[in-house]
Amino acid sequence: MATVQARLLMMFLVALAAVQAQVGEVQAQQSCPTQMASLNVCTPFVVPGTSRGPSSQCCGALQAVEHDCLCSTLRVANSLPSACHLSPISCD
């Protein structure tokens, strides 16, 4: 189970890097890469076995991320196994 969670964390971080590399357009508010980078405060919650729940800083950062930005990042993360010629990851 920890291996699946570690893979998901790695996929999320790679997707974050991909979004940061692909999005160059500055929005009126913070850009998507900046919003996603602010989620680094959530790392203790995302890494298995390091925290019981998200901190208030993590929740605040997540609340500040625009819906489209978060959804785009998750779509990129979901497409990584296929792009890397790996089997799809199932989280049961």
Side-chain angles (χ1 to χ4, degrees):
M1 185 69 162
T3 303
V4 170
Q5 291 173 335
R7 282 185 176 177
L8 288 174
L9 175 60
M10 183 58 72
M11 286 176 41
F12 176 76
L13 294 175
V14 171
L16 175 61
V19 168
Q20 289 176 336
Q22 292 179 4
V23 178
E25 182 178 318
V26 176
Q27 300 172 351
Q29 297 180 347
Q30 289 182 325
S31 67
C32 185
T34 302
Q35 293 174 45
M36 294 306 295
S38 73
L39 292 178
N40 286 337
V41 297
C42 297
T43 300
F45 176 70
V46 177
V47 175
T50 59
S51 179
R52 293 178 188 228
S55 67
S56 60
Q57 293 87 1
C58 172
C59 293
L62 182 59
Q63 185 177 12
V65 176
E66 293 179 18
H67 182 262
D68 291 340
C69 175
L70 187 58
C71 289
S72 294
T73 301
L74 293 174
R75 277 192 291 276
V76 170
N78 194 40
S79 70
L80 282 175
S82 173
C84 293
H85 308 289
L86 299 172
S87 300
I89 294 175
S90 175
C91 302
D92 297 326

